[in-house]
Amino acid sequence: MRHLTTFILLLTSLFGYSQNNQSEGLIDIIDPPARTILDNYLDSINIYKHRIDSLEKENSRLNHQWGEPLNRYSRLFTPITFYNDLAHRHFSLEEDDALTTDNQLLVDNALMNIYINHPEFVRGKMQIRTPKAENKKKDEKVVALNPAYEVYNVPKAEEINVDKIDLMIKKPNFWSLRGEFFLQMMQNYYSAKWYQGDESNYSALSRVTLWADYNNKQKVKFENKLEMHLGFMTNKSDTVHSVKTSSDLFRYTGKLGIQATKKWYYTLQVVANTQFMRTFASNSHTVNSDFMSPLNINVSLGMDYNMSWFKKRLTGTVHLAPLSCDYKYVDRLALATRNGIDEGKHSKFDYGSAFQVDFNWKFSENVNWRTRLYGYTTYHRMDLQWENTLNLKISKILTASVYVYPRFDDSSISRKDEKLGYFQLKEYTSFGLTYSF
């Protein structure tokens, strides 16, 4: 009977015991211990009711603040997925009333940062389920991450079939080769009673110049130049030799340079020259010079300056060498003293300094001046050479040239002239064919 009374009182409390006093008559008949249990139970019920009311109010506040349930934050913790609604709000020109909180902006900006900077982390495309989404394509694989969403894999890009081609990769060629060939002929005729008195003669002159230059476009240059001159002329006044050489030169110039600045190079230069043919004194069998008699080799260490002035019309190099070694050799001992070598010896070494200037000045398409100024000194003797060639282009292959070659050399007393001293001069004018390749 006691337990039945307690059960009736519990049911009565569920219908508002705390709000009215209709059941006061029944409560009064309950003994004090049972009433204490009932009061404690009713108090606990009221506490849980207040907690539930508080949770409902907080949930309503959050829904009002974010504009949608808390599952928007789940986008940050689920696999990275592309959302159309997020991209639309971010790039749309229209104002979005739903975007009203800073929290939503933070979520959207975080996802957009991943889309733009790390697209490789995005797995697929997520869309809100709609009736149209039910008619998805058969080839699209669906993975359900949330009952309210569906994930669609982005279709793979189709590979384009490209026909195979043969590809040949060539190593860069840092060598440049070029050359110039020059052939000129001349004929002079004088009658026997010509008032000035002279003799008829024929002459021919050929010049070949070859260049082989290496430049790796970084630090190293290696330039090679080979010059070959050979000319002949008839001379009736010479009863011993009817034909003599008018020009004879075989010269090699090599430069190895390492770039120091934009236009300056540390340079090691080698200049070697001799001649092809044997030459004789007029009306005599005495040999004045021969092949390897003399042979001059000059090795110098210094710096080169590359010139490129007047819109590249004046180009060339200036070589300055404070340290230079000069070697002179004669194969014929009889020519030793004639070339400044001690009698009975074949060779001689000198140490000094040297310089060389090479440039080509193109005045116009048809006129250019090429010059070489070379100097070497031991501070006891000097060798100075200045070669000048003025070319006048008449047509594509026809050229007229003026050649002037002054020189100073005091290495041998036998070369001293009564009028010019140690100065020497050679000059000629010619007309002929020129071919460049």
Side-chain angles (χ1 to χ4, degrees), residues 352-421:
S353 57
F355 72 92
Q356 182 171 317
V357 179
D358 293 275
F359 68 80
N360 184 61
W361 194 338
K362 191 174 183 179
F363 296 101
S364 65
E365 293 296 328
N366 299 323
V367 181
N368 78 287
W369 173 37
R370 183 177 296 168
T371 187
R372 173 184 179 269
L373 178 62
Y374 170 82
Y376 170 78
T377 179
T378 63
Y379 307 104
H380 295 288
R381 72 174 183 88
M382 176 177 285
D383 182 8
L384 185 63
Q385 306 172 23
W386 189 18
E387 299 178 57
N388 299 272
T389 304
L390 182 65
N391 294 316
L392 307 175
K393 186 176 181 180
I394 300 174
S395 66
K396 188 175 181 179
I397 60 174
L398 293 178
T399 305
S401 299
V402 177
Y403 183 79
V404 180
Y405 181 13
R407 178 176 178 176
F408 178 89
D409 185 1
D410 60 354
S411 61
S412 175
I413 191 66
S414 62
R415 296 185 179 181
K416 187 175 182 180
D417 185 78
E418 295 180 358
K419 295 182 179 179
L420 299 177

Side-chain angles (χ1 to χ4, degrees), residues 111-377:
L111 291 174
M112 286 303 301
N113 182 56
I114 297 175
Y115 295 165
I116 295 173
N117 297 319
H118 299 284
E120 66 275 10
F121 295 151
V122 181
R123 293 189 177 182
K125 177 180 178 182
M126 179 173 283
Q127 295 178 338
I128 298 176
R129 185 190 299 274
T130 61
K132 294 183 179 180
E134 299 298 333
N135 300 325
K136 53 186 174 295
K137 297 180 179 179
K138 295 181 180 180
D139 58 347
E140 291 181 343
K141 184 179 179 181
V142 180
V143 180
L145 299 179
N146 190 296
Y149 298 93
E150 291 180 352
V151 177
Y152 296 88
N153 290 340
V154 178
K156 294 183 179 179
E158 296 182 0
E159 296 184 358
I160 301 176
N161 295 327
V162 180
D163 295 336
K164 294 183 179 180
I165 59 174
D166 294 332
L167 181 62
M168 181 182 295
I169 300 177
K170 293 184 178 180
K171 294 182 179 180
N173 184 13
F174 298 122
W175 286 92
S176 62
L177 307 176
R178 57 193 178 97
E180 185 179 82
F181 174 74
F182 183 80
L183 176 62
Q184 294 181 334
M185 301 185 69
M186 185 179 298
Q187 182 266 334
N188 293 317
Y189 172 77
Y190 300 93
S191 64
K193 299 297 181 178
W194 183 251
Y195 73 102
Q196 291 180 335
D198 213 324
E199 59 183 4
S200 301
N201 64 76
Y202 298 91
S203 63
L205 174 65
S206 64
R207 294 202 308 260
V208 178
T209 307
L210 303 175
W211 291 270
D213 299 334
Y214 173 89
N215 187 353
N216 65 358
K217 307 299 182 181
Q218 294 180 353
K219 293 290 185 181
V220 180
K221 291 175 66 175
F222 182 35
E223 299 177 349
N224 300 273
K225 182 180 180 181
L226 182 63
E227 300 170 90
M228 295 173 285
H229 300 184
L230 188 59
F232 298 93
M233 62 177 295
T234 60
N235 188 5
K236 294 181 179 181
S237 62
D238 190 342
T239 58
V240 178
H241 309 284
S242 59
V243 178
K244 298 177 62 176
T245 57
S246 59
S247 179
D248 194 353
L249 175 66
F250 182 86
R251 181 169 61 207
Y252 166 78
T253 304
K255 291 183 180 182
L256 177 62
I258 299 177
Q259 189 172 20
T261 62
K262 184 177 181 180
K263 294 189 176 183
W264 284 95
Y265 283 79
Y266 300 108
T267 304
L268 176 66
Q269 177 177 276
V270 178
V271 180
N273 65 276
T274 184
Q275 62 187 62
F276 291 100
M277 307 296 295
R278 185 181 304 171
T279 59
F280 300 89
S282 297
N283 295 308
S284 173
H285 292 286
T286 303
V287 177
N288 286 337
S289 61
D290 198 356
F291 178 71
M292 301 290 287
S293 294
L295 168 65
N296 295 285
I297 301 176
N298 183 274
V299 181
S300 59
L301 182 63
M303 296 193 73
D304 270 23
Y305 175 77
N306 292 335
M307 294 184 297
S308 182
W309 302 338
F310 307 117
K311 298 181 180 181
K312 296 184 178 181
R313 289 186 174 274
L314 176 59
T315 58
T317 59
V318 177
H319 176 70
L320 304 175
L323 180 61
S324 178
C325 173
D326 191 75
Y327 172 75
K328 186 173 289 187
Y329 170 83
V330 291
D331 185 55
R332 292 174 174 266
L333 284 176
L335 299 178
T337 56
R338 180 178 175 84
N339 291 279
I341 301 174
D342 294 340
E343 186 175 359
K345 294 184 178 181
H346 286 281
S347 62
K348 179 181 179 181
F349 277 101
D350 278 333
Y351 297 94
S353 57
F355 72 92
Q356 182 171 317
V357 179
D358 293 275
F359 68 80
N360 184 61
W361 194 338
K362 191 174 183 179
F363 296 101
S364 65
E365 293 296 328
N366 299 323
V367 181
N368 78 287
W369 173 37
R370 183 177 296 168
T371 187
R372 173 184 179 269
L373 178 62
Y374 170 82
Y376 170 78
T377 179

